[in-house]
Amino acid sequence: NGKKPMAAIVGGSKVSSKITVLEALLDKCDKVIIGGGMVFTFLKAKGFNVGTSLVEDDFVDTAKEVLAKAEKLGKEILLPIDIVIADKFDAEAETKVVSAEEIPDGWMGLDNGP
């Protein structure tokens, strides 16, 4: 057990491979910062449109449970406030930065924004 307050950063593309770690971190940390592709599963769990972003639909309810557990414990899950999006997954794609809460239909989130 480290000194408080304690934060952890978790990234990667899949919630499914990190759920056990996320659950354990909520018991130990005051804040958990989530990045990478798994952000889109959490954004969808919060009810936001994620366009064609990579989402583990089978784990949206699990993400909701993690968010609820954090709230119950008085912990904070931090998600990006802006996202780099593209109109296709291609080196020639059009890209832009938008609010994490405003990913338009037909666009995919690629990464955390600046």
Side-chain angles (χ1 to χ4, degrees):
N1 287 340
K3 292 183 179 182
K4 297 284 184 170
M6 184 184 299
I9 301 171
V10 181
S13 62
K14 295 183 177 182
V15 173
S16 58
S17 63
K18 314 243 177 4
I19 192 62
T20 306
V21 171
L22 284 169
E23 295 272 348
L25 288 172
L26 281 177
D27 292 329
K28 297 183 182 295
C29 298
D30 302 290
K31 295 180 183 191
V32 177
I33 302 163
I34 297 179
M38 62 194 273
V39 163
F40 305 108
T41 301
F42 277 89
L43 290 174
K44 187 169 184 177
K46 292 182 80 158
F48 299 124
N49 186 30
V50 294
T52 59
S53 306
L54 175 67
V55 171
E56 284 187 285
D57 285 317
D58 293 347
F59 285 86
V60 170
D61 286 338
T62 304
K64 287 179 183 178
E65 291 168 9
V66 169
L67 292 166
K69 178 179 179 178
E71 186 174 340
K72 180 181 177 186
L73 295 174
K75 307 297 178 85
E76 195 172 3
I77 301 273
L78 298 171
L79 299 169
I81 60 170
D82 52 14
I83 301 287
V84 176
I85 63 170
D87 61 347
K88 57 187 171 185
F89 192 72
D90 186 275
E92 302 299 317
E94 180 183 346
T95 62
K96 57 186 174 180
V97 177
V98 299
S99 165
E101 300 173 5
E102 298 176 358
I103 300 172
D105 289 335
W107 289 73
M108 66 179 65
L110 299 177
D111 206 348
N112 301 350

